[in-house]
Amino acid sequence: MVAPGFIFGLVLPLILPADTSKDVRFRFASYINNYMVLQKEPAGAVIWGYGIFGATVTVTLCQDKETIMEKVTSVKAHSNSWMVVLDPTKPGGPYEMMAQQTFGRTNFTLRVHDVLFGDVWLCSGQSNMQMTVSQIFNATRELSNTAAYQSVRIFSVSLTEAEQELEDLAKIDLQWSKPTSENLGHGVFKYMSAVCWLFGRNLYDTLHYPIGLISSSWGGTPIEAWSSGRSLKTCGVPTRGFAQSDSVTGPSKNSVLWNAMIHPLHNMTLKGMIWYQGESNINVNRDLYNCTFPALIEDWRQAFHRGSQGQTERFFPFGFVQLSSYLSATSDDKFPQIRWHQTADFGYVPNVRMPNTFMAVAMDLCDRTSPYGSIHPRDKQTVAYRLHLGARAVAYGEKLIFQGPLPEKMELLADRGLLNLTYSQQIQVKKQDKIFEISCCSDRQCKWLPAPMGTFSAQTLALNVSSCRGTPAAVRYAWTTWPCEYKRCPLYHPSSTLPAPPFIAFMTDQIPGDLSKLAK
């Protein structure tokens, strides 16, 4: 039998599709395929794959049969991998990309077609990120709304675990595709993330150029599974893992999802990431979440910056969803603590521990009748809209309001039984409620008491704290698992429908103690 590529001593090229057999030993990385979106200028897109050690690889980008650029590299020893960085390219397309391996007298050529350049976003987390468009409100209408968004391309990573860091994806649920009602609504918690899709659709409506969306999420998973050993060590997380909790239904072992579902993507050039996770940590290392979450962001940023040869920004934009509401059988404050820890205990982002981040507050998007349980609210459209506002401000530099009002100053008028809050933005009071509480301390014992809302103006609000017969030590807002009904929290920004985030603030040095004492 004559070997492929050799006929009577002549060198003939062998043209292969992008998903060529591993037997040939020359291929693109698993996620480089037809219909993909590559990161546009000012970054250069990274193209890589595997080949025969010592072979020369030439990557060519073409448009309308015209060569736009050509990059040449060689296959490395040990890893048998090759990599090139394309020149920064303006948004648009379509392009065809070829990679040719030359080894001795043999050539192999791979091709991918209908490649676009735009912004690439990675979406990760647990089940609220994993929910598909078929599971959300107005699903039929949303699934039919794809014709205008054929330049928003989607990709979904399979649910996979690994004990060690993988260099390439072991499995893919949905290879790069144009959106259809079938691949967006494939099933319950399967294939493409609704939050990811709606976020990208909103960005496309604003930016008017291609958007690439990569979904890599797994329901019921704690942050430890998504974190590298490096970042977990930074926060003192036990290396042997932890006891199983009712809130954890997916893989829980340290780093197994980082290894299999995130690290294999780290060579990719990205614009940014969005994240929706935290429910599975209400009973798992909850007190460490104010470390593990910022550490995950920092570690992912380092890994993607290095893996992409510096093309992904070192502090790329990172957005996340603050936990929504949940009908709990107990009245503890585990959900509020996670919400607070999601901001590294600042109450807002960006902050010094979480630079270049943005947050969508979701505590007012509750869903009592969700068929997937109240922990899975179906209004993902508002979640995605609020996320995209943050992206427009933080990632794209637009001057707009992307977070609800927070107090910047408080003044205790003890003789009048009032605590005056001054907000950084204008406030809209939708209703007066006992959603504020004051920590009242006497004989070194503290108790949270209701602090009813009183008079208010454009940026100030007075709380009635006359019920405190001791020393007021702290004030908190919306510190419950279910703070309000759907879009009916007391405080919003008047022009943007963005809810005021939950917070806890302390009277400066008025009493010794810390959050652990006051938050009981």
Side-chain angles (χ1 to χ4, degrees), residues 324-377:
S324 187
S325 298
Y326 172 52
L327 285 174
S328 174
T330 59
S331 58
D332 55 49
D333 66 346
K334 294 175 181 178
F335 256 59
Q337 286 185 42
I338 290 288
R339 291 187 191 118
W340 185 245
H341 292 337
Q342 285 179 296
T343 67
D345 299 352
F346 280 79
Y348 61 89
V349 296
N351 58 57
V352 294
R353 289 190 59 202
M354 300 174 67
N356 218 31
T357 58
F358 54 95
M359 174 177 73
V361 176
M363 66 180 184
D364 67 330
L365 302 179
C366 50
D367 188 353
R368 287 181 178 272
T369 59
S370 172
Y372 314 104
S374 63
I375 203 165
H376 298 122

Side-chain angles (χ1 to χ4, degrees), residues 306-318:
R306 291 171 181 166
S308 66
Q309 309 300 302
Q311 297 304 308
T312 298
E313 290 181 11
R314 172 64 180 83
F315 294 97
F316 61 75
F318 194 109

Side-chain angles (χ1 to χ4, degrees), residues 340 407 410 421 448 473-477 479 503-507 518:
W340 185 245
M410 57 184 178
L421 303 178
W448 287 104
V475 62
R476 66 188 187 185
Y477 172 74
W479 206 264
F503 74 86
I504 185 168
F506 299 89
M507 315 294 179
L518 294 169

Side-chain angles (χ1 to χ4, degrees), residues 420-423 425-427 429 454-462 491:
N420 284 341
L421 303 178
T422 302
Y423 281 79
Q425 306 170 13
Q426 288 190 339
I427 59 173
V429 178
T455 58
F456 58 90
S457 66
Q459 284 186 243
T460 63
L461 173 65
L491 293 177

Side-chain angles (χ1 to χ4, degrees), residues 18 29-39 97 112-116 118-122 150-157 169 172-179 183 192 196 210-215 265 268-270:
S30 59
Y31 56 79
I32 296 177
N33 216 305
N34 304 328
Y35 307 114
M36 76 179 304
V37 177
L38 294 173
Q39 182 57 42
M97 186 167 59
V112 292
H113 67 266
D114 201 349
V115 174
L116 303 179
D119 281 341
V120 182
W121 286 82
L122 172 60
Q150 294 300 292
S151 291
V152 181
R153 306 290 174 81
I154 57 177
F155 178 97
S156 185
V157 177
L169 294 171
I172 294 168
D173 266 0
L174 179 67
Q175 190 52 266
W176 282 107
S177 304
K178 296 180 180 181
N183 57 32
M192 193 59 201
C196 190
I211 301 292
L213 301 171
I214 300 161
S215 177
L265 303 169
M268 183 183 292
T269 310
L270 296 178

Side-chain angles (χ1 to χ4, degrees), residues 165 226-232 234 258 293-306 314 316:
E165 291 180 346
W226 296 100
S227 304
S228 74
R230 297 178 300 274
S231 62
L232 294 177
T234 299
W258 157 258
F293 185 38
L296 175 142
I297 296 172
E298 168 62 15
D299 186 66
W300 286 20
R301 283 172 165 169
Q302 284 191 31
F304 277 79
H305 180 69
R306 291 171 181 166
R314 172 64 180 83
F316 61 75

Side-chain angles (χ1 to χ4, degrees), residues 182-406:
E182 289 75 23
N183 57 32
L184 288 175
H186 185 72
V188 176
F189 301 108
K190 290 182 179 179
Y191 279 23
M192 193 59 201
S193 157
V195 169
C196 190
W197 162 248
L198 295 167
F199 170 77
R201 199 177 72 181
N202 284 330
L203 285 183
Y204 181 80
D205 286 339
T206 299
L207 301 170
H208 306 294
Y209 59 69
I211 301 292
L213 301 171
I214 300 161
S215 177
S216 183
S217 52
W218 194 330
T221 52
I223 196 170
E224 291 78 6
W226 296 100
S227 304
S228 74
R230 297 178 300 274
S231 62
L232 294 177
K233 185 177 180 181
T234 299
C235 298
V237 176
T239 56
R240 294 186 178 181
F242 40 85
Q244 195 75 5
S245 163
D246 290 343
S247 63
V248 178
T249 58
S252 60
K253 195 172 181 180
N254 290 356
S255 307
V256 291
L257 302 184
W258 157 258
N259 292 338
M261 297 179 67
I262 301 298
H263 186 268
L265 303 169
H266 80 293
N267 291 341
M268 183 183 292
T269 310
L270 296 178
K271 175 64 176 182
M273 297 185 187
I274 57 171
W275 172 261
Y276 196 159
Q277 190 277 335
E279 297 92 341
S280 286
N281 281 96
I282 59 171
N283 293 316
V284 176
N285 294 330
R286 181 177 63 256
D287 293 342
L288 293 177
Y289 203 89
N290 58 358
C291 179
T292 51
F293 185 38
L296 175 142
I297 296 172
E298 168 62 15
D299 186 66
W300 286 20
R301 283 172 165 169
Q302 284 191 31
F304 277 79
H305 180 69
R306 291 171 181 166
S308 66
Q309 309 300 302
Q311 297 304 308
T312 298
E313 290 181 11
R314 172 64 180 83
F315 294 97
F316 61 75
F318 194 109
F320 64 95
V321 183
Q322 195 177 47
L323 292 193
S324 187
S325 298
Y326 172 52
L327 285 174
S328 174
T330 59
S331 58
D332 55 49
D333 66 346
K334 294 175 181 178
F335 256 59
Q337 286 185 42
I338 290 288
R339 291 187 191 118
W340 185 245
H341 292 337
Q342 285 179 296
T343 67
D345 299 352
F346 280 79
Y348 61 89
V349 296
N351 58 57
V352 294
R353 289 190 59 202
M354 300 174 67
N356 218 31
T357 58
F358 54 95
M359 174 177 73
V361 176
M363 66 180 184
D364 67 330
L365 302 179
C366 50
D367 188 353
R368 287 181 178 272
T369 59
S370 172
Y372 314 104
S374 63
I375 203 165
H376 298 122
R378 288 167 288 175
D379 183 359
K380 295 299 191 272
Q381 292 90 334
T382 304
V383 170
Y385 176 77
R386 291 173 181 175
L387 270 177
H388 112 281
L389 288 180
R392 286 169 60 184
V394 173
Y396 297 99
E398 279 194 58
K399 300 297 182 184
L400 52 80
I401 293 169
F402 64 97
Q403 188 165 271
L406 272 170

Side-chain angles (χ1 to χ4, degrees), residues 66-142:
E66 178 185 349
T67 298
I68 306 299
M69 72 181 75
E70 189 174 276
K71 299 291 179 179
V72 181
T73 188
S74 57
V75 180
K76 300 175 185 176
H78 308 299
S79 67
N80 291 325
S81 65
W82 54 269
M83 179 181 289
V84 299
V85 178
L86 300 183
D87 298 335
T89 303
K90 292 181 179 179
Y95 294 88
E96 183 180 51
M97 186 167 59
M98 294 179 291
Q100 184 179 70
Q101 175 181 266
T102 302
F103 186 70
R105 295 165 56 87
T106 308
N107 290 343
F108 290 111
T109 301
L110 309 172
R111 298 180 188 271
V112 292
H113 67 266
D114 201 349
V115 174
L116 303 179
F117 282 81
D119 281 341
V120 182
W121 286 82
L122 172 60
C123 313
S124 187
Q126 56 180 109
S127 53
N128 270 305
M129 182 63 84
Q130 196 180 10
M131 283 179 74
T132 66
V133 179
S134 63
Q135 296 177 263
I136 66 175
F137 285 139
N138 302 314
T140 302
R141 185 184 69 191
E142 298 292 4

